[in-house]
Amino acid sequence: MVRYADDWVIISNAHIEEVRQAKEEIRDYLATELHLELSEEKTKLTHINDGFDFLGFHIQRVQSEG
């Protein structure tokens, strides 16, 4: 059996510098351990308030009123 997933999301509360560092660590792990390449075209760093599209869904934090 082979499992393969090429779409995933990581959500973090860290500062942007730490997020960028984590991205590089993930890139290195994928390359050295799994022999996979992180696509720059498809990789996006964004704030959860701005939202993002993932597997046909728009995911965004919305503050409730009240």
Side-chain angles (χ1 to χ4, degrees):
M1 178 166 76
V2 175
R3 293 186 201 178
Y4 186 79
D6 64 352
D7 294 320
W8 45 296
V9 173
I10 298 173
I11 298 174
S12 172
N13 282 333
H15 292 283
I16 189 64
E17 297 83 20
E18 294 172 279
V19 171
R20 288 185 178 122
Q21 178 61 38
K23 176 184 165 189
E24 293 309 311
E25 292 173 14
I26 291 165
R27 177 192 315 286
D28 292 344
Y29 176 81
L30 289 172
T32 59
E33 300 296 325
L34 302 179
H35 308 289
L36 297 173
E37 183 179 324
L38 188 65
S39 169
E40 279 300 321
E41 297 170 7
K42 296 165 93 178
T43 301
K44 181 177 181 181
L45 299 179
T46 186
H47 196 282
I48 193 70
N49 290 351
D50 296 331
F52 58 92
D53 296 323
F54 183 69
L55 299 177
F57 294 91
H58 184 74
I59 300 169
Q60 182 174 14
R61 178 170 49 191
V62 178
Q63 301 288 337
S64 63
E65 296 181 28

